[in-house]
Amino acid sequence: TFGTKGSTNSFLLPCVNAEELRRQTPAYPPYISEIVGVTGEIMKFLYFLDCYSDGGAELGFATLVENGFFANHQLSICAMTGEGLSYERLKASTIPLHVESFFKNGKLNTWTVITSIFPLIRFIWQWQPDIMIISLARANLIGRLASLFFPSMKVVTFEHNTNYRNKLAPLLRYTSYLVDGVLVDHHE
């Protein structure tokens, strides 16, 4: 279960394939509801990321969805920009979900990142998710700032790297109190 804002819980995801996860390490919960400590109720999840590029974080998330990680829950996925292999995989998924890109043909630049907070806030207001999972540095910053308007929504950051070597690192540290939980897919 989640603590209060600022007292983050972290959860290690040892691999992205839920079936393999159940087989190899039964001690690790294979479904998101078990990780966040909520069972028996359907929850609304919003997964927010930078873009649908063909990188490891994006394709790994598509694999989580395809393998039932969010089974028995409602899921919406939003990205700031673009379409790519992960976007196509998610759209083709047999699992009912909503996939959206705020600026379909836009480039991921400073202007796009800053202005994406407005469609994100509108989407959260309309959809009312219980939990927002944010992945990758720029989406993390915008998602955390948007969460200020929705204090009852839980915020989970999906960390793929603990070494923030970009210019957003100080801002991410400063906004860390807005995070309720952390999912990690590495051992660092």
Side-chain angles (χ1 to χ4, degrees):
T1 60
F2 289 108
T4 57
K5 294 268 186 216
S7 65
T8 27
N9 301 308
S10 66
F11 311 94
L12 176 65
L13 298 177
C15 61
V16 294
N17 182 310
E19 289 301 318
E20 184 179 333
L21 178 59
R22 278 196 227 58
R23 240 185 353 268
Q24 286 182 358
T25 53
Y28 284 102
Y31 298 110
I32 190 68
S33 58
E34 294 171 20
I35 288 175
V36 298
V38 177
T39 55
E41 86 182 71
I42 295 175
M43 298 188 70
K44 293 170 88 174
F45 287 90
L46 168 60
Y47 193 92
F48 180 58
L49 66 161
D50 290 4
C51 61
Y52 294 109
S53 68
D54 299 338
E58 298 86 348
L59 295 173
F61 176 70
T63 302
L64 284 173
V65 170
E66 291 166 347
N67 283 286
F69 190 70
F70 293 93
N72 303 316
H73 295 288
Q74 295 177 20
L75 176 63
S76 283
I77 304 135
C78 295
M80 293 181 207
T81 64
E83 297 177 359
L85 181 59
S86 62
Y87 180 83
E88 296 305 321
R89 283 177 59 187
L90 291 165
K91 288 295 257 187
S93 174
T94 58
I95 297 162
L97 51 85
H98 175 85
V99 182
E100 184 165 328
S101 181
F102 295 144
F103 303 101
K104 286 192 194 302
N105 298 321
K107 301 264 189 235
L108 195 57
N109 56 35
T110 304
W111 179 252
T112 305
V113 171
I114 292 169
T115 58
S116 68
I117 194 167
F118 301 112
L120 178 60
I121 289 171
R122 183 177 60 246
F123 187 85
I124 293 170
W125 181 264
Q126 292 171 345
W127 202 61
Q128 296 292 309
D130 299 302
I131 297 177
M132 176 173 57
I133 301 173
I134 42 183
S135 180
L136 303 171
R138 292 170 285 216
N140 248 291
L141 181 60
I142 298 303
R144 291 174 189 192
L145 293 175
S147 76
L148 287 168
F149 296 96
F150 306 95
S152 65
M153 179 182 65
K154 299 297 182 189
V155 177
V156 176
T157 180
F158 196 161
E159 298 295 339
H160 308 283
N161 186 350
T162 55
N163 290 330
Y164 286 119
R165 295 183 185 155
N166 64 36
K167 54 190 166 195
L168 294 179
L171 295 172
L172 291 170
R173 284 188 198 97
Y174 181 71
T175 58
S176 63
Y177 75 96
L178 297 168
V179 174
D180 298 295
V182 179
L183 295 171
V184 295
D185 59 2
H186 55 83
H187 295 284
E188 295 176 11

